[in-house]
Amino acid sequence: MKYLVMKSLKPSVSALFAAATIISGSFIVVATSFADTGGKVAAPSSLNTTIVNKAIVENEVLDAQRAWGEALVAISTTYEKDGIETAKALAEKVIDEAYGYQFGTVLFKPTLTVAPHTFRTTRAGALSYFVGGDPDFPMDKGFALMGWRTVEIKNAAIFISGNTATTMGNVMLTDKDGKTTTVDKTWEFLKDDSGKLRIVLHHSSLPYTEE
Amino acid sequence: MKYLVMKSLKPSVSALFAAATIISGSFIVVATSFADTGGKVAAPSSLNTTIVNKAIVENEVLDAQRAWGEALVAISTTYEKDGIETAKALAEKVIDEAYGYQFGTVLFKPTLTVAPHTFRTTRAGALSYFVGGDPDFPMDKGFALMGWRTVEIKNAAIFISGNTATTMGNVMLTDKDGKTTTVDKTWEFLKDDSGKLRIVLHHSSLPYTEE
Amino acid sequence: MKYLVMKSLKPSVSALFAAATIISGSFIVVATSFADTGGKVAAPSSLNTTIVNKAIVENEVLDAQRAWGEALVAISTTYEKDGIETAKALAEKVIDEAYGYQFGTVLFKPTLTVAPHTFRTTRAGALSYFVGGDPDFPMDKGFALMGWRTVEIKNAAIFISGNTATTMGNVMLTDKDGKTTTVDKTWEFLKDDSGKLRIVLHHSSLPYTEE
Amino acid sequence: MKYLVMKSLKPSVSALFAAATIISGSFIVVATSFADTGGKVAAPSSLNTTIVNKAIVENEVLDAQRAWGEALVAISTTYEKDGIETAKALAEKVIDEAYGYQFGTVLFKPTLTVAPHTFRTTRAGALSYFVGGDPDFPMDKGFALMGWRTVEIKNAAIFISGNTATTMGNVMLTDKDGKTTTVDKTWEFLKDDSGKLRIVLHHSSLPYTEE
């Protein structure tokens, strides 16, 4: 399992060329080069605009969602192969890399929690939810240990604003027996200083069923 | 249950006084001179600092939450007093003023919706959820018509980033018979160009109950 | 001269499909369409992902820069052909469409202003700088009336964060006599609620020359 | 000249209390406590909403500006007392702590630079500007070594959007001989993951003087 580290420093060469090409018989030139040798627009080799982009693009969101699903399955299979301690270590790594507890808190309402521990605003609370075994959260059985094999994500909508992106949709989790659980799920991702997307909000709930 | 900090939340008032060099006469001068030995700082009388602030502060979030609760109760009581048409008109006004459908969509998962209409990403879907009567959403009975009298909001955590703020916590709705329904609720607010907070995400769910 | 209105609601179909390319030999699927029949994903045919994107991408920045240059040239040529009143009306239109004075202020330090009117934080101050004739700003001769014919923009760096993008570089303005003026220029653009980029900061200065 | 809108700048403390003040005779309660002991709303001591705030507030901006001025004076006096090597080490520390080169680049146009080294988008270029001695930037004499004693900052306007804040105004630098240099200066600050403001844009220029 690899978490991709998004580079915040992107050349975006093709995009720049696409934009700089235009100049339709007109006079306005948006160039990006200082090595302009007399001609109207510089050569490719002289492109030297530095771009730092802290905004989020859609592909980064989809990648982060996929990484979450891969991590869940990885914890399940690690648990089965290597036992709870290895699975727990992996869960800690996942939480530290994919969530934003280092910012101070995460708004996390997991699918199966109940009061008074509904909201897992601390790292310990998140870890207990995924792998259980924490006496402070006695109801937790370890959601990530439930034999998950596939995770499918269907976004109803995505809202990108600034350095955050929020998604809402269904997530279908299928276990080793082929049983599928569908949840309604919302995530908000923040792009951190290193360019990595981190989950700052995670609200998951079972679909409403009329009594 | 004790959650940490508020580390980024600083008491504005004292800090502002510490930083600001007084108000001389009529105009506000925000100067930041140090090594200020009494008369060193001579601010021209014409210099005033204009501040445009598109970031969200906490009290704006609490105000927006309260406004949502007030609106829900108002639709209920309007329905009882003035009938469905007046209630529907009010609900439309509330949606147009409190939600962000004009941005293109809202990530709205109401408490009681079911597939295939779980997510109400359109204004019509939101209106139907609140007041019913739309044949495109035949299951909707009108959530805002259910006799609500009080709304209490208890935030577990708030995450402010840029021009958005996200909250997670419990909302307790009590109806005219004194029956209280508790939901797990997440909201994300965006400050629009006019400075008004709008709901761009709303995920509400009934607490999980073990079978 | 057309100002392009950036759509904030983008389908981004190709990008989404590129990303959704489903993890060969693996199990995680990030789908964005429910109309997907045949493959693993068996979903309701009506659900498609709606995306609202308030973040800025590079091309939008380059387009906004180019639009500024085109507008400057347009005011110059309009002045020569149609006189000051028409040029002034155009300048007002440009300011209202390309700058962000409606947010409360713009941080505008034009190239040729002097104290006590160095900073043009009001619309009136900006208009006077471009077309002159305002007794409140007696030094202004109308920068946009100076016979500009071409504008070339060379970005040294671009910084995109959230719904804003900041650029720094040289701008070369050439007039009808072929004389070129080079300035050091910084712009910050904000994407407004309609998806349009607006200048919220504009600092322009002549290059430093050693005495 | 008077604008000062400050409309989004509300005194947080009183507003928060106002919000928590329980709406007597009404029904909407925005509480922030889960330690609700039967009564309507909990006491102040039980307040336990966790808040993470990545947005910038004005006093943070003023603090960061003042820190920049203090650092400049500190480099000057360190140079005089302890020599160039110690001053250079301090300048490196200042750049690493106050600027955002770790994000990939900074949009830095110092007051006295000339082509082809006008823009100092790299850390090395910034360091050379402040303390000189870099053969790659042969014109640099070390701006921070010029005997600065006081720095006064007068903001014309501040624009806060999301996790960034941009300021524009005059900065008056006075040296040990009492000679004052006034510059037109723009800064953009970004709040980093640790909550620290970093300069991501710095455009400084001498006032325009008519020939």
Side-chain angles (χ1 to χ4, degrees), chain C residues 63-128:
Chain C
D63 286 345
Q65 291 183 324
R66 192 165 41 230
W68 185 91
E70 288 173 344
L72 184 72
V73 171
I75 297 171
S76 274
T77 55
T78 296
Y79 172 59
E80 294 161 26
K81 278 186 286 187
D82 302 319
I84 183 63
E85 286 311 314
T86 309
K88 184 180 175 186
L90 176 56
E92 293 191 274
K93 186 168 179 291
V94 166
I95 291 170
D96 291 339
E97 291 188 359
Y99 285 81
Y101 284 101
Q102 59 269 65
F103 299 140
T105 197
V106 172
L107 285 61
F108 186 15
K109 207 296 283 177
T111 314
L112 304 180
T113 50
V114 297
H117 298 302
T118 304
F119 305 109
R120 302 303 172 93
T121 52
T122 64
R123 181 185 183 277
L127 181 62
S128 177

Side-chain angles (χ1 to χ4, degrees), chain A residues 102-109 111-114 116-119 121-122 139 141 156-159 161 164 166-170 184-186 188 190 200-206 208-210, chain B residues 1 3-5 7 103 105-109 111-114 118-119 121 139 141 156-159 161 164 166-170 184-186 188 190 200-206 208-210:
Chain A
Q102 59 267 67
F103 300 140
T105 197
V106 171
L107 284 61
F108 186 15
K109 207 296 284 177
T111 314
L112 304 180
T113 51
V114 295
H117 299 302
T118 304
F119 306 108
T121 54
T122 64
M139 313 285 279
K141 295 163 186 162
I158 300 176
F159 187 88
S161 176
T164 65
T166 308
T167 67
M168 177 177 276
N170 282 130
D184 301 328
K185 194 179 286 287
T186 296
E188 183 180 357
L190 175 79
V200 292
L201 156 73
H202 182 174
H203 185 151
S204 190
S205 55
L206 294 177
Y208 170 68
T209 52
E210 294 183 273
Chain B
M1 188 163 57
Y3 306 99
L4 37 169
V5 276
K7 53 185 173 183
F103 300 140
T105 196
V106 171
L107 285 61
F108 185 15
K109 206 296 284 177
T111 314
L112 304 180
T113 50
V114 295
T118 303
F119 306 109
T121 53
M139 313 284 280
K141 296 163 184 163
I158 300 176
F159 187 89
S161 177
T164 65
T166 308
T167 68
M168 176 177 277
N170 282 129
D184 302 328
K185 193 179 286 286
T186 296
E188 183 179 359
L190 174 80
V200 292
L201 156 72
H202 183 174
H203 185 152
S204 191
S205 54
L206 294 176
Y208 169 68
T209 52
E210 295 182 273

Side-chain angles (χ1 to χ4, degrees), chain B residues 16 18 21 25 27 38 65 79 105 108 110 128 130 134 136-137 148 156 159 165 168 175 183 195 201 208:
Chain B
L16 279 170
T21 321
F27 42 83
Q65 290 183 325
Y79 172 59
T105 196
F108 185 15
S128 176
F130 284 124
D134 186 331
D136 288 343
F137 302 92
W148 303 118
F159 187 89
M168 176 177 277
D175 67 15
V183 299
L201 156 72
Y208 169 68

Side-chain angles (χ1 to χ4, degrees), chain D:
Chain D
M1 187 166 56
K2 54 189 166 102
Y3 331 93
L4 51 137
V5 181
M6 297 237 201
K7 53 184 171 183
S8 297
L9 179 61
K10 299 183 191 173
S12 290
V13 176
S14 61
L16 279 169
F17 273 111
T21 317
I22 313 168
I23 307 89
S24 55
S26 184
F27 28 69
I28 309 303
V29 178
V30 177
T32 54
S33 168
F34 282 82
D36 188 343
T37 56
K40 269 298 185 186
V41 177
S45 60
S46 60
L47 267 183
N48 58 8
T49 303
T50 310
I51 298 180
V52 176
N53 191 343
K54 300 181 88 70
I56 293 182
V57 296
E58 295 87 306
N59 59 302
E60 293 175 314
V61 176
L62 302 184
D63 286 346
Q65 291 183 325
R66 191 166 42 232
W68 184 90
E70 288 170 345
L72 184 72
V73 171
I75 298 171
S76 274
T77 55
T78 296
Y79 172 59
E80 293 160 27
K81 279 185 286 188
D82 302 319
I84 183 63
E85 286 310 315
T86 309
K88 184 180 175 186
L90 176 57
E92 293 191 274
K93 188 169 177 291
V94 166
I95 291 170
D96 290 339
E97 292 188 357
Y99 286 80
Y101 285 101
Q102 60 268 63
F103 300 140
T105 197
V106 172
L107 285 60
F108 186 14
K109 207 297 282 179
T111 313
L112 304 180
T113 50
V114 295
H117 299 302
T118 303
F119 306 108
R120 300 305 171 93
T121 53
T122 64
R123 181 184 182 276
L127 182 62
S128 177
Y129 180 71
F130 284 123
V131 298
D134 187 331
D136 287 343
F137 302 92
M139 314 285 280
D140 289 348
K141 294 162 186 165
F143 181 79
L145 310 180
M146 295 168 69
W148 303 118
R149 287 296 180 272
T150 72
V151 174
E152 185 183 350
I153 298 163
K154 293 181 179 171
N155 294 307
I158 299 176
F159 187 88
I160 300 177
S161 177
N163 306 341
T164 66
T166 309
T167 68
M168 176 176 277
N170 283 129
V171 175
M172 279 67 64
L173 307 108
T174 303
D175 67 16
K176 57 187 173 184
D177 301 322
K179 187 187 167 207
T180 296
T181 300
T182 296
V183 299
D184 302 329
K185 195 179 285 287
T186 296
W187 274 306
E188 183 180 357
F189 301 93
L190 174 79
K191 183 178 272 194
D192 75 9
D193 282 351
S194 75
K196 183 177 179 52
L197 267 58
R198 290 183 174 279
I199 298 169
V200 293
L201 156 72
H202 182 175
H203 185 152
S204 191
S205 55
L206 294 177
Y208 170 68
T209 52
E210 294 182 274
E211 295 133 48

Side-chain angles (χ1 to χ4, degrees), chain A residues 156-178:
Chain A
I158 300 176
F159 187 88
I160 300 178
S161 176
N163 306 341
T164 65
T166 308
T167 67
M168 177 177 276
N170 282 130
V171 174
M172 278 67 63
L173 308 108
T174 303
D175 66 16
K176 58 187 172 183
D177 301 322

